[in-house]
Amino acid sequence: MEEFWQQVVTGIATGSVYGLLALAIVLIYRSTSVLNFAQGEMAMLTTFVAWSILQWGEYWVMFPLVLVIAAGMGAFIERVIIRPVEGAPVLNIIIVTLGMFAILNNVATWRWGGIPKGFPAPPEIEVTGIRFMGEGALDIGPTVVSYHDLTILVFAVAIMVALYVFFQYTPLGLAMRATAQNPVASRLMGIRVGRMLTVGWALSATVGAVAGLLIAPLILLQPPMMMGVLLFAFAAAVLGGLDSPVGAVVGGLIIGVSENLVGTYTPKEWLGPDMKLTVTLLIIVVVLLIRPTGIFGRRAMRRV
Amino acid sequence: MLKVEDIVAAYGPIVALHGVSLEVPEGSIVTVLGANGAGKSTTLRAITGLLRPKSGTIEFEGSRIDRLSAEEIVSLGMSHIPEGRQLFSELTVLENLRLGAYSRFSGTDGGSRLAQREDLSPLGRLQHKLFHAATGGIRDVARGIRGYRQRRQDFEAALNQVFDYFPILAERKKQIAGTLSGGEQQMLAIGRGLMASPRLLLLDEPSMGLAPMVTREIFEIIRAINKSQGVTILVVEQNANLALEIAHYGYVLETGRIALADTSENLRKSEAVQRSYLGQ
Amino acid sequence: MRRLSPPPTSKLVIFVVIAFFLLWWVPFSHVLPEGFPLRFGTYRTFQGSMIAMWAIVALGLNILTGYNGQISLGHSAFVAIGGYTAAILMVDYGWPFWTTIIIGGLIAGGIGFLIGVPALRLTGPYLAIATLGLALATPQILKKYDGLTHGTQGINVRPEVPASPDFIEDWFGIKLSNDEWIYFLALFIALLMLVLALNIVRSRVGRAFVAIRDSEIAAQAMGISVPRYKIIAFGISAFYGGIAGGTYAQVVGYVSPESFNFLLSINFLTTIVVGGLASILGSVLGATGLIVVPELPGIVSFIPGAGLPDELSWAFYGAALILVMIFAPYGLAGLFHRLVRVGPARVAGVLTPVQGAWLSWRERRRAPPASPGQTGAGSEDRSSGDQPGTE
Ligand SMILES: Nc1ncnc2c1ncn2[C@@H]1O[C@H](COP(=O)(O)OP(=O)(O)O)[C@@H](O)[C@H]1O
Ligand SMILES: [Mg+2]
């Protein structure tokens, strides 16, 4: 039983990271119907930037700085690379994101080298006697949880709540939702549609950057580090429903946990840890066959 | 208040307007009649900047607006209620209304840009654009904070006014817009347009797809909006009967050209209009 | 979307000339000095064979994605099935190579049919990611069930790959090396598949595919059985993948689980979009581009002083992808057609591809909807105020 909870808890932690990156993917998909294949590489690059900043600065100085840089990068990419193909068929834009994937990955290797680097977890903070983050583990009865796993979970939940509040209660958030639904009517409301897309990319890059900063301590910092995460994030986003931010995070959690459980509890002979990816993907496909637009996704509206 | 002069507009190679001119005096209701495909919607699109006219001029309250973008034009005090309503159908009624007031809260400031942009050389325009991009964000935030309470009050006042005209919307505040009935959706579309407290309201076929009873009700409200608030109205219609009933002036558009222009009284008496548009 | 008129004869002629050139260039290119870019050494010959193999997959994927509108990121799986079937039958059972290619194609096609059934429920990105799952699972499955697949170590097919038969030397008086023989073999298979593809897309079936892509409801109203044709498209497409896999086994002489990872699938999709969706010519051009472009920094470095740092070659490739998508939204085939339309005289010499790209770019900036058949989405609503050059 302890093993079970252990698997669940670590699954929740990695699942939160998948969920965060999935959230980043969903933010872009909702407004432009584009699957951003460069999402993981954007996060990887900002994590490398973070690493460079950490060579001379504190973690908590670096953190906001990196988020701002990420937002700037997202906005820049939208304005300079995505804007020229806006309105092109979706597959074309997907290929553009694949091109960005190659560029970002190559630039990171060129600038920082391919050798894996250690990356620190957020350092310990104590607020009114309660300890947050840092090294070590916390005993929670059935099992122990590492502080970093807890940190990841807290960040994921906090970001989700923040985004919910942003989209639900601020004029800008509302305008972004409106733009995603009906760009022409949005313009008639005085909304600058182009600017909303830029903000969407900036936001998405920022959320992705957090995912990168949180996963790097677990998997080492190196150019291909986000590739596997990206694939799981895609799966999570699709599982939850590509237009649902909540679905993205829930999808990530489901995948993180089921991946661990499949690895531990299926027969080693013909499934087991070697096949956990395959079985997890199979589960996702089965769910999709029952709900073709994901668990929380809206039914596809057919246009004639 | 609005003066359209000799505008030509096209969709790619398809020319939809071949030099349309019309005028909307302040405080009046003006209607543009015409058959399907005559270019009525195109005229409105050109006025609000959704479609940039190839040539001709458009003046709103004395200043040229034909080079401004739709977003800028809206914040000058003009609301366009498009054909087919174009609601945000997955958002609630209240959210739709909030979006109608977006131009109050956002920094889009057509007036100031208008003043600065006129007669600029291309290079000057580019400089202006860069400058605006850099300073715009900061200024928006500052304005947003300073004027927040005032804007909030204006918003509440506009909302109450819309609910006065359309009590049903107050009841359905939380309902998803796409699930409203056709008449309610048209009311929401008009209400959303009113949320910006426009001085000029452009309506594109408000009667489209509605039962005669509902249509009549909506036209009564349009008349009331004009009377009690002094909002100038340009309404495009195929339903000539009702439109001429509430309008002061009317234009008849035929394949992208103005065929007739007169007071609605005279138009109603005109033989051509009776034959083609009043079915008599 | 696109018009589907058969290419006029002039284009076919150009096509045939290029094909003929490729066909005969390989043996004769030995006369050129070492290191010259058009000299086909062993490596360039191998690349030629890879282009042929790649073109086969692209043709199949284009039938599914370009003509029928179903996005697949799982075609590496079908290629793996074809490749492994051929390798296993050749190495473990000693079958002649050509039968193994056909059987590999048929098995992959059969599995494609089966996968086409659940794929009916999924559309767009959901289908893309579900099929990506297939591509991800393939290497794992190949590693796990090693009784059949020889596991991680892969299968060495090299000893079984056919050598150049004697009649070639008798008839043409040229002694082909093994690589050159395989090159002709791959080219031959590719041409067969190309002719087949041309016939498919111009047949009733092909028109049904397109009708479904453009509107399933309208297709249904015309009496087309939507599920049936969507499954057929999947099957045909997978068959192409299987044939390509069998060809791959001959060309590379070795199959292993990592030969067929998901990146391959992504590259296949890239191939057809860059080449041109719903275009046979595009499939071939895309395959050529995708094999050659990553090597371009090396080729360019032949010209003194024009080299790119080698470690940035992948970034160069990425930039090339983006530029093609911006300047040639209908892919290389679209560019080609445009150049041909501009006039054969200018194509011949005056108008370089770069100029063509520049012209098309200017055209796009100036008049949003260039012509009804050209622009995809309605561009009327696109230009917003803060976009430069809308006036
Ligand atoms: N998006 C468009 N693309 C091309 N042509 C259009 C478009 N919208 C309208 N048109 C054409 O422009 C002309 C005028 O249309 P419109 O202004 O919508 O007419 P009305 O509103 O009077 O029915 C018609 O011939 C119509 O076919
Ligand atoms: Mg109309």
Side-chain angles (χ1 to χ4, degrees):
Chain A
M1 212 48 204
E2 192 170 316
E3 157 120 48
F4 175 80
W5 288 113
Q6 188 58 52
Q7 294 298 341
V8 169
V9 165
T10 53
I12 287 178
T14 45
S16 304
V17 176
Y18 301 157
L20 275 182
L21 200 64
L23 198 54
I25 289 164
V26 164
L27 285 178
I28 288 178
Y29 183 84
R30 286 215 312 177
S31 54
T32 48
S33 304
V34 170
L35 286 178
N36 180 12
F37 276 81
Q39 197 81 56
E41 304 314 282
M42 288 161 64
M44 177 271 293
L45 198 76
T46 50
T47 314
F48 268 109
V49 171
W51 183 85
S52 289
I53 296 175
L54 279 179
Q55 301 311 306
W56 52 263
E58 280 288 308
Y59 194 94
W60 293 117
V61 176
M62 170 279 283
F63 196 83
L65 206 56
V66 164
L67 296 195
V68 171
I69 291 171
M73 180 181 74
F76 177 84
I77 288 177
E78 198 279 327
R79 294 303 283 240
V80 175
I81 301 178
I82 300 298
R83 192 65 64 92
V85 287
E86 197 191 323
V90 170
L91 268 179
N92 288 33
I93 308 181
I94 287 180
I95 299 301
V96 168
T97 70
L98 282 172
M100 285 197 303
F101 179 105
I103 294 175
L104 295 175
N105 189 292
N106 200 176
V107 164
T109 314
W110 175 64
R111 172 71 185 74
W112 283 282
I115 302 154
K117 300 177 182 4
F119 192 86
E124 192 175 320
I125 296 182
E126 220 177 88
V127 184
T128 62
I130 306 166
R131 200 191 133 179
F132 292 102
M133 303 188 266
E135 305 292 319
L138 180 71
D139 198 328
I140 54 162
T143 183
V144 291
V145 199
S146 82
Y147 272 104
H148 186 59
D149 283 356
L150 271 181
T151 308
I152 293 177
L153 184 63
V154 169
F155 266 95
V157 171
I159 287 177
M160 211 171 67
V161 171
L163 282 179
Y164 179 80
V165 170
F166 171 74
F167 279 117
Q168 218 61 32
Y169 298 108
T170 68
L172 183 60
L174 182 60
M176 286 176 69
R177 281 195 291 154
T179 306
Q181 270 188 39
N182 191 336
V184 181
S186 299
R187 294 185 66 195
L188 288 178
M189 303 297 113
I191 298 169
R192 291 177 177 279
V193 171
R195 196 171 287 180
M196 294 304 124
L197 296 184
T198 310
V199 174
W201 274 78
L203 206 57
S204 162
T206 312
V207 173
V210 176
L213 292 175
L214 293 178
I215 193 83
L218 298 177
I219 58 174
L220 293 180
L221 177 60
Q222 52 183 322
M225 72 181 217
M226 293 305 278
M227 252 189 236
V229 182
L230 177 74
L231 297 171
F232 278 114
F234 272 143
V238 162
L239 181 64
L242 273 169
D243 45 18
S244 162
V246 178
V249 176
V250 172
L253 293 177
I254 293 176
I255 288 175
V257 171
S258 64
E259 181 198 20
N260 275 2
L261 293 184
V262 167
T264 317
Y265 291 105
T266 53
K268 301 261 180 306
E269 305 290 287
W270 51 281
L271 289 175
D274 301 339
M275 295 290 279
K276 65 179 184 182
L277 177 67
T278 304
V279 176
T280 308
L281 291 169
L282 195 67
I283 295 171
I284 293 168
V285 169
V286 170
V287 173
L288 282 184
L289 291 182
I290 299 164
R291 291 192 61 92
T293 51
I295 301 173
F296 294 90
R298 265 179 268 108
R299 310 241 89 202
M301 270 180 291
R302 283 186 184 272
R303 287 189 209 124
V304 186
Chain B
M1 170 171 249
L2 180 74
K3 201 162 157 196
V4 174
E5 227 160 310
D6 203 25
I7 53 168
V8 175
Y11 299 95
I14 307 162
V15 180
L17 300 180
H18 311 261
V20 167
S21 305
L22 53 85
E23 205 165 328
V24 183
E26 179 142 19
S28 64
I29 300 182
V30 173
T31 185
V32 175
L33 306 173
N36 231 336
K40 305 184 296 294
S41 301
T42 307
T43 308
L44 294 194
R45 281 189 206 127
I47 292 172
T48 38
L50 285 179
L51 184 69
R52 193 159 291 204
K54 289 237 178 297
S55 65
T57 62
I58 303 170
E59 272 180 28
F60 179 61
E61 295 179 329
S63 17
R64 288 275 297 269
I65 58 167
D66 44 85
R67 292 282 134 191
L68 297 184
S69 69
E71 300 86 334
E72 290 164 330
I73 291 172
V74 167
S75 55
L76 292 177
M78 192 191 288
S79 275
H80 178 176
I81 294 150
E83 187 172 13
R85 308 186 256 278
Q86 300 285 341
L87 294 175
F88 301 103
S89 54
E90 290 164 28
L91 302 183
T92 65
V93 168
L94 189 61
E95 283 170 335
N96 269 278
L97 293 174
R98 276 169 63 196
L99 283 163
Y102 181 84
S103 58
R104 294 170 185 279
F105 291 96
S106 83
T108 320
D109 188 349
S112 73
R113 295 189 77 171
L114 186 72
Q116 295 169 31
R117 254 172 82 166
E118 261 180 6
D119 309 322
L120 280 181
S121 65
L123 193 66
R125 209 171 293 148
L126 180 70
Q127 271 178 6
H128 176 74
K129 225 169 226 178
L130 291 176
F131 174 78
H132 197 82
T135 58
I138 302 164
R139 202 205 45 209
D140 291 353
V141 171
R143 272 174 20 138
I145 295 169
R146 212 168 344 113
Y148 182 76
R149 182 159 300 179
Q150 184 57 46
R151 284 148 192 268
R152 191 79 220 166
Q153 280 170 5
D154 291 349
F155 172 79
E156 295 293 345
L159 192 65
N160 286 331
Q161 192 140 46
V162 169
F163 286 159
D164 278 346
Y165 286 124
F166 307 108
I168 186 83
L169 295 182
E171 283 169 37
R172 301 291 175 85
K173 260 200 287 209
K174 293 264 146 66
Q175 192 170 328
I176 301 295
T179 63
L180 296 173
S181 75
E184 288 160 0
Q185 289 195 12
Q186 187 61 57
M187 292 178 194
L188 178 55
I190 296 174
R192 186 180 65 176
L194 288 176
M195 286 301 291
S197 303
R199 293 185 296 286
L200 174 63
L201 196 59
L202 310 176
L203 284 148
D204 198 338
E205 297 203 36
S207 74
M208 191 193 241
L210 300 184
M213 287 282 292
V214 185
T215 309
R216 181 158 287 280
E217 190 184 340
I218 285 182
F219 271 83
E220 285 312 320
I221 294 170
I222 293 172
R223 200 207 302 254
I225 292 168
N226 171 259
K227 260 226 177 85
S228 63
Q229 282 182 276
V231 177
T232 311
I233 291 175
L234 175 60
V235 55
V236 148
E237 258 303 338
Q238 285 196 61
N239 186 336
N241 249 324
L242 269 175
L244 287 177
E245 208 169 286
I246 65 165
H248 306 116
Y249 304 92
Y251 291 85
V252 175
L253 200 57
E254 265 169 23
T255 56
R257 289 187 177 80
I258 297 289
L260 276 174
D262 213 330
T263 63
S264 45
E265 218 102 314
N266 290 344
L267 280 181
R268 235 177 318 179
K269 279 183 270 176
S270 131
E271 217 173 279
V273 173
Q274 280 191 356
R275 206 175 338 105
S276 319
Y277 301 101
L278 296 176
Q280 286 162 7
Chain C
M1 283 177 92
R2 223 160 315 269
R3 291 155 300 118
L4 279 178
S5 55
T9 12
S10 66
K11 276 178 228 168
L12 275 180
V13 169
I14 295 174
F15 198 72
V16 168
V17 167
I18 292 173
F20 187 82
F21 175 78
L22 278 178
L23 207 63
W24 290 109
W25 182 247
V26 177
F28 289 132
S29 63
H30 291 303
V31 299
L32 290 171
E34 196 71 42
F36 194 81
L38 284 177
R39 186 183 191 279
F40 278 71
T42 317
Y43 182 62
R44 297 254 172 271
T45 310
F46 169 74
Q47 273 195 318
S49 313
M50 283 305 279
I51 291 175
M53 168 261 162
W54 208 271
I56 298 172
V57 195
L59 286 167
L61 186 59
N62 221 335
I63 288 176
L64 182 68
T65 303
Y67 287 94
N68 194 225
Q70 303 190 71
I71 302 175
S72 165
L73 282 174
H75 263 52
S76 62
F78 302 123
V79 178
I81 291 169
Y84 263 88
T85 307
I88 291 169
L89 288 179
M90 281 164 70
V91 172
D92 292 346
Y93 298 90
W95 290 29
F97 77 94
W98 59 272
T99 55
T100 67
I101 295 178
I102 295 173
I103 290 179
L106 291 177
I107 293 181
I111 293 177
F113 270 109
L114 295 182
I115 290 175
V117 177
L120 286 177
R121 291 215 13 107
L122 303 177
T123 52
Y126 292 93
L127 180 61
I129 300 300
T131 48
L132 181 63
L134 190 67
L136 284 169
T138 303
Q140 283 205 316
I141 294 170
L142 290 174
K143 279 180 207 159
K144 184 72 181 177
Y145 305 111
D146 51 5
L148 184 65
T149 65
H150 300 221
T152 337
Q153 69 190 59
I155 306 174
N156 186 3
V157 195
R158 189 52 74 189
E160 311 294 330
V161 170
S164 172
D166 296 334
F167 73 85
I168 296 283
E169 200 175 348
D170 296 347
W171 292 1
F172 300 98
I174 301 170
K175 176 87 185 115
L176 292 180
S177 73
N178 263 16
D179 290 312
E180 284 162 357
W181 166 239
I182 292 294
Y183 166 80
F184 284 114
L185 197 69
L187 204 64
F188 176 71
I189 300 173
L191 283 178
L192 270 188
M193 298 307 277
L194 186 130
V195 172
L196 178 63
L198 271 176
N199 279 300
I200 289 173
V201 302
R202 287 179 192 170
S203 71
R204 214 172 47 84
V205 177
R207 286 196 301 274
F209 289 166
V210 173
I212 290 170
R213 175 197 71 193
D214 290 346
S215 163
E216 289 195 11
I217 294 170
Q220 208 143 26
M222 285 190 284
I224 296 170
S225 162
V226 173
R228 185 202 294 164
Y229 281 102
K230 283 177 93 169
I231 294 172
I232 290 177
F234 232 108
I236 291 176
S237 186
F239 170 74
Y240 269 80
I243 296 287
T247 312
Y248 177 92
Q250 318 299 328
V251 171
V252 179
Y254 174 68
V255 293
S256 77
E258 285 312 319
S259 318
F260 305 108
N261 72 22
F262 74 97
L263 291 174
L264 200 59
S265 281
I266 291 180
N267 282 336
F268 291 148
L269 187 71
T270 307
T271 304
I272 60 167
V273 179
V274 166
L277 285 171
S279 163
I280 299 291
L281 174 66
S283 309
V284 177
L285 291 179
T288 312
L290 225 79
I291 299 286
V292 171
V293 169
E295 308 264 337
L296 273 186
I299 295 180
V300 172
S301 68
F302 171 78
I303 306 162
L308 235 109
D310 229 19
E311 60 267 35
L312 281 179
S313 66
W314 215 29
F316 173 83
Y317 166 74
L321 280 188
I322 294 175
L323 290 177
V324 169
M325 287 297 95
I326 292 176
F327 295 124
Y330 295 104
L332 300 173
L335 204 61
F336 180 81
H337 284 245
R338 206 195 319 249
L339 290 182
V340 171
R341 212 183 318 125
V342 169
R346 295 173 77 183
V347 177
V350 189
L351 194 69
T352 66
V354 176
Q355 280 174 311
W358 161 245
L359 281 180
S360 78
W361 181 72
R362 244 183 16 187
E363 206 175 284
R364 267 157 46 87
R365 304 295 280 200
R366 218 183 269 152
S371 75
Q374 276 286 311
T375 329
S379 31
E380 167 217 344
D381 312 320
R382 267 169 49 207
S383 49
S384 94
D386 43 5
Q387 207 176 353
T390 37
E391 36 203 78

